[in-house]
Amino acid sequence: MKNLHTSAASSHDVPDTLRPALHPGASRAPLGVLLLGAVLSTGCGEPGTSLQARPVDAKGQGLTSLAATCQEIRTADPSAIDGEYTLHIGGDAKKPWTAWCNDMAGTPREYLSLMSGTNYSQYTVGGYTSGSSVRTYYAKVRIDPVTLRVFVADQTFAQSTGSLNHGGTLVTSMPYGVAMSCDNKASGVASLDLTGTPFAVAPHDFAVQGANGVGTTDYRAEGRRVNLTGGGYCGWNSWTPVWSPFNQTGGDQLHLEYRAPPVLAATCQEIRAANPSAVDGEYTLHVGGDQKKPWTAWCHDMAGTPREYLSLVSGTNYSQYTAGGSATGQNVRTDYAKVRIDPVTLRVSIADQTFAQSTGSLEHGGTPVTSMPYGEAMSCDGTASGVASIDLSGTPFAVAPHEFSLGGNSPAGTTTYSSEGRKVNLTGGGDCGWNRGSDPLHLEYRDAPVCMGQTAPGAYWQQYTFDSLSLDVDTSGCGFSETPMYFTSIGGTGYHWQTTGATSIILPTATGFRVIVRSPSSVTPAFASQYGWHLNWQAVPGSVRQPSLCTGQTTPGTTSWQQYGSDGLYLDVDTTACGYSAAPLYFTSLGGLDWHWRTTGATSIYQPTATGFRVYVWHRGTSITPVLANQLGWHLNWRAQPDGLRQSWNCTGRTPQGSTPWQQYTSDSLYVDVSTSGCAASGAPITSIGGTSEQWGLMGATSLYSPTPTGFRIYVRYPGSNLTPSLANQRGWHLNWNRR
């Protein structure tokens, strides 16, 4: 794994002639011109502010009838951009569907977004084939809006893992709706899941084919879900007719049918109505039945009168009546694990203590007090000694503004909202007085809070050693009350692609962090200033569990590092708690006390699945052990996001595995121009690199060049090797990206 073609030479031995002082084709324009398109200020505004407008429905665009195709959208509005639009089958107002219109500036094409995440095809290795099983996950499929046929070979919004040899042909991807194997068994599998869309798979669209073909086809949910098994020697189960259905074989051969749009449950009562045997537990509800507003509810008393509860992830939700003055006894504190919420109005019943526990008791004017409502701080000692904490971290909700007020005799107290409203800290008291929320307490639906920014180009770098610089990043404007996880990329006009350390986080706090960037040769703050080096950063709370974002961190000091050679380690990261059913995109940063800034590999993703991934960390030429890594506090921060997100404030994507358009730069380096077209968010990207081998030794995959609202460039280098675009694609190297 460590040797690409030749043994890796020390990065200190690289001559300056191999370093792009400017990216190819760039002129020595003023710095401000070179940085057009990058985010130039910090900010944590709510989604949608200062961003390109989101595409709108077909109505109101000058159309004389309802649009049936993306071409009709563009004809009515030539400035229309890639994004979601409402189309109507045959122009019929009763047959709407949400299409992703792609390549609106060229040849518009229609794609259907697959909501469930369980859409894949697999060629299972064995028997006649060698290598590893090939599985292709689909986030969207191309559909003909007139015939409703799916172009099964279109992999614009797909990602693949594995590779195998089929009779001398390299297989690296699978068309949509194919289960295949060559081991004389039906070990190939495929899943088609159109849940959340107004379409179903037409009946009788699949057949077992090939040599000694075997397999099964299982239609469910009125054709919205189809599970396939297939195989033989070699055989498959797929749409017909076809021969050798692998890589990008096939045309518009899968037929869909329009069905009335499904109704998404907004309440636990609706869950029970659809399934009378449903038991108490967690269910996904959607606010107002809106598929873009999911949340995880605990449905309680499903056998009686179903009620909805919101699980409080953080564990710091309590109300306290502090004893003293005329209130004699012990402090009364009630801790809440879940709160009851009205799923329609989003109001919390503050007195419901079904999932709460209390300690202490006191006398209040002759009345015994043994518990406190949610969101109330109280005392009778003449001071604001009562306390309360509301913490909705890890949920898609925030407390509405202006929900709290003082009351009682001589009331005193404070109300402190976090910047995004997910946390509220209260003090309250008087003689006797309190600070409490409205009853019921009003919440608002919010997407996951992500704060982002960029340091000033060329500024604030400090000398650390002769070949390294440090940078302290101020994130106090985010208003975090606890230390978030930080994810970074480095920008500039030259040379930063050959550094290490920009994604290694040191001394993180709620208000900032440090990075140390190491160069292959001597470097000074003046040099960094000359080439506009700057850090792009995103700050994300830990333990977020939302459909569009899941975050986590291995434990500093006890991370399960494993030895890999004398100077390398690897780590398997478990992301099962995210609940994804298909492999998301993973982004990482490496935390620790020291020395991790000298490594490569922490942002190189291996073996991504729905439940985890692996990273290899290379302390090139210097011995490292799991014990030493934990003594140094090395740990991995990670975030998972579905591929193909196109929210107005949040987009994800990746270059195609096996066919990324790498270009030769020098003998040991490549570059790629990454398109983010169709993304309304224009912040500086955060990146990671995926593949099947060797990417852990690369430099540059998180170093941005030429950022614009529609793309950016990345250079990668493996010192001392012989790199070619063909070799990079054989190893499956591809760029994952997120823009906000």
Side-chain angles (χ1 to χ4, degrees):
M1 182 171 187
K2 294 180 183 176
N3 298 318
L4 196 61
H5 273 176
T6 63
S7 60
S10 168
S11 58
H12 291 281
D13 298 331
V14 182
D16 281 349
T17 55
L18 295 185
R19 301 190 187 105
L22 293 173
H23 54 82
S27 63
R28 294 185 178 272
L31 186 59
V33 174
L34 290 169
L35 294 174
L36 280 175
V39 177
L40 299 180
S41 62
T42 65
C44 305
E46 288 304 310
T49 59
S50 302
L51 295 175
Q52 186 175 355
R54 184 176 182 272
V56 295
D57 288 351
K59 294 181 179 180
Q61 295 183 356
L63 293 166
T64 57
S65 60
L66 295 173
T69 69
C70 294
Q71 179 62 55
E72 292 175 27
I73 295 286
R74 192 181 73 168
T75 299
D77 179 9
S79 65
I81 63 173
D82 290 13
E84 288 187 345
Y85 296 84
T86 299
L87 301 183
H88 293 77
I89 306 297
D92 187 342
K94 296 180 180 179
K95 293 183 177 180
W97 67 286
T98 300
W100 179 269
C101 290
N102 193 54
D103 194 20
M104 291 294 274
T107 304
R109 298 186 298 275
E110 296 79 8
Y111 288 81
L112 175 66
S113 295
L114 304 170
M115 307 299 178
S116 76
T118 53
N119 285 270
Y120 58 84
S121 298
Q122 180 170 308
Y123 189 155
T124 300
V125 74
Y128 176 73
T129 62
S130 60
S132 58
S133 297
V134 176
R135 176 176 284 202
T136 300
Y137 296 91
Y138 287 82
K140 306 180 196 295
V141 290
R142 184 181 172 194
I143 183 174
D144 184 315
V146 177
T147 65
L148 302 188
R149 288 185 174 273
V150 171
F151 292 86
V152 294
D154 190 300
Q155 296 173 6
T156 304
F157 297 99
Q159 65 179 38
S160 300
T161 60
S163 64
L164 58 80
N165 186 302
H166 175 96
T169 299
L170 181 66
V171 178
T172 58
S173 65
M174 292 295 290
Y176 187 62
V178 178
M180 184 172 182
S181 76
C182 289
D183 58 2
N184 267 325
K185 298 182 292 185
S187 59
V189 291
S191 172
L192 299 86
D193 191 345
L194 305 182
T195 301
T197 79
F199 296 101
V201 180
H204 316 302
D205 242 30
F206 298 92
V208 173
Q209 303 164 77
N212 300 324
V214 291
T216 62
T217 302
D218 180 17
Y219 277 75
R220 298 186 178 186
E222 299 180 335
R224 295 186 193 276
R225 298 201 305 269
V226 182
N227 295 319
L228 305 177
T229 66
Y233 195 77
C234 296
W236 56 86
N237 188 1
S238 73
W239 23 264
T240 57
V242 67
W243 185 254
S244 298
F246 46 71
N247 291 330
Q248 293 179 311
T249 300
D252 59 342
Q253 290 165 282
L254 180 65
H255 189 204
L256 304 187
E257 296 178 344
Y258 188 86
R259 303 283 174 86
V263 177
L264 297 173
T267 69
C268 293
Q269 178 61 51
E270 292 174 20
I271 295 286
R272 192 180 71 170
N275 179 15
S277 63
V279 299
D280 290 12
E282 288 190 342
Y283 296 85
T284 298
L285 301 183
H286 293 77
V287 177
D290 186 343
Q291 66 183 18
K292 296 178 181 177
K293 292 185 177 181
W295 66 286
T296 301
W298 180 272
C299 290
H300 182 66
D301 194 18
M302 292 293 274
T305 304
R307 300 188 297 277
E308 296 80 9
Y309 287 82
L310 174 66
S311 295
L312 304 171
V313 178
S314 75
T316 54
N317 286 269
Y318 59 85
S319 298
Q320 180 171 305
Y321 188 156
T322 301
S326 61
T328 59
Q330 299 174 322
N331 296 343
V332 176
R333 173 166 166 156
T334 302
D335 290 275
Y336 288 81
K338 307 179 196 297
V339 290
R340 185 180 175 189
I341 182 173
D342 184 314
V344 177
T345 65
L346 303 187
R347 292 184 179 272
V348 171
S349 301
I350 63 174
D352 190 300
Q353 297 177 3
T354 304
F355 296 97
Q357 61 181 26
S358 300
T359 58
S361 64
L362 56 78
E363 289 284 331
H364 174 90
T367 300
V369 177
T370 57
S371 65
M372 291 294 291
Y374 187 63
E376 182 167 344
M378 183 173 181
S379 76
C380 290
D381 60 3
T383 68
S385 59
V387 290
S389 172
I390 295 174
D391 189 346
L392 305 181
S393 299
T395 79
F397 296 103
V399 181
H402 315 302
E403 284 290 293
F404 300 89
S405 60
L406 302 178
N409 296 322
S410 304
T414 61
T415 301
T416 305
Y417 278 74
S418 64
S419 61
E420 71 282 357
R422 294 181 195 272
K423 297 182 181 181
V424 183
N425 293 317
L426 305 175
T427 65
D431 188 32
C432 296
W434 56 80
N435 188 1
R436 67 178 298 181
S438 58
D439 185 11
L441 182 68
H442 189 199
L443 305 187
E444 295 178 344
Y445 190 90
R446 303 275 179 88
D447 192 45
V450 177
C451 188
M452 55 184 282
Q454 180 190 87
T455 61
Y460 310 122
W461 295 98
Q462 301 293 318
Q463 198 75 50
Y464 189 70
T465 65
F466 80 96
D467 62 353
S468 63
L469 305 174
S470 66
L471 178 68
D472 290 320
V473 181
D474 180 6
T475 65
S476 58
C478 295
F480 285 109
S481 56
E482 296 179 358
T483 302
M485 293 185 297
Y486 293 106
F487 299 88
T488 56
S489 62
I490 187 170
T493 60
Y495 294 96
H496 56 298
W497 72 310
Q498 297 191 61
T499 64
T500 63
T503 59
S504 298
I505 309 302
I506 303 170
L507 303 175
T509 69
T511 59
F513 63 97
R514 173 178 291 177
V515 295
I516 297 174
V517 172
R518 187 186 188 197
S519 170
S521 59
S522 62
V523 66
T524 64
F527 184 88
S529 178
Q530 178 183 356
Y531 291 102
W533 290 7
H534 59 274
L535 206 70
N536 311 303
W537 56 267
Q538 294 181 5
V540 188
S543 301
V544 173
R545 298 290 182 269
Q546 296 186 18
S548 64
L549 177 65
C550 184
T551 66
Q553 180 188 80
T554 64
T555 306
T558 58
T559 290
S560 300
W561 297 106
Q562 303 295 315
Q563 196 72 50
Y564 189 76
S566 62
D567 58 357
L569 305 171
Y570 72 88
L571 175 67
D572 289 316
V573 180
D574 183 2
T575 65
T576 304
C578 294
Y580 289 117
S581 52
L585 302 182
Y586 291 108
F587 303 92
T588 56
S589 63
L590 186 62
L593 302 174
D594 204 354
W595 299 112
H596 55 310
W597 50 279
R598 295 170 174 260
T599 67
T600 61
T603 57
S604 300
I605 309 302
Y606 286 79
Q607 302 172 22
T609 69
T611 58
F613 63 97
R614 174 177 288 187
V615 295
Y616 292 84
V617 174
W618 193 359
H619 201 212
R620 195 183 301 249
T622 304
S623 62
I624 185 68
T625 65
V627 171
L628 180 57
N630 278 315
Q631 288 175 353
L632 292 169
W634 290 9
H635 61 277
L636 202 72
N637 307 308
W638 59 267
R639 56 196 267 194
Q641 297 184 260
D643 186 17
L645 281 178
R646 288 299 184 271
Q647 299 166 314
S648 61
W649 64 92
N650 180 28
C651 303
T652 61
R654 65 179 185 87
T655 62
Q657 183 170 353
S659 57
T660 289
W662 296 103
Q663 302 295 315
Q664 198 75 49
Y665 186 65
T666 67
S667 62
D668 64 355
S669 65
L670 308 171
Y671 70 90
V672 63
D673 290 314
V674 181
S675 172
T676 63
S677 178
C679 176
S682 57
I686 298 297
T687 61
S688 64
I689 188 166
T692 58
S693 66
E694 308 296 349
Q695 70 265 29
W696 77 319
L698 292 173
M699 297 176 176
T702 57
S703 302
L704 306 184
Y705 281 81
S706 311
T708 72
T710 59
F712 59 96
R713 176 174 287 187
I714 289 287
Y715 293 84
V716 296
R717 178 170 181 255
Y718 199 119
S721 67
N722 293 312
L723 269 187
T724 65
S726 175
L727 181 60
N729 279 317
Q730 286 176 19
R731 300 188 186 281
W733 293 359
H734 60 279
L735 257 294
N736 308 312
W737 58 267
N738 169 237
R739 294 194 92 154
R740 286 184 173 263

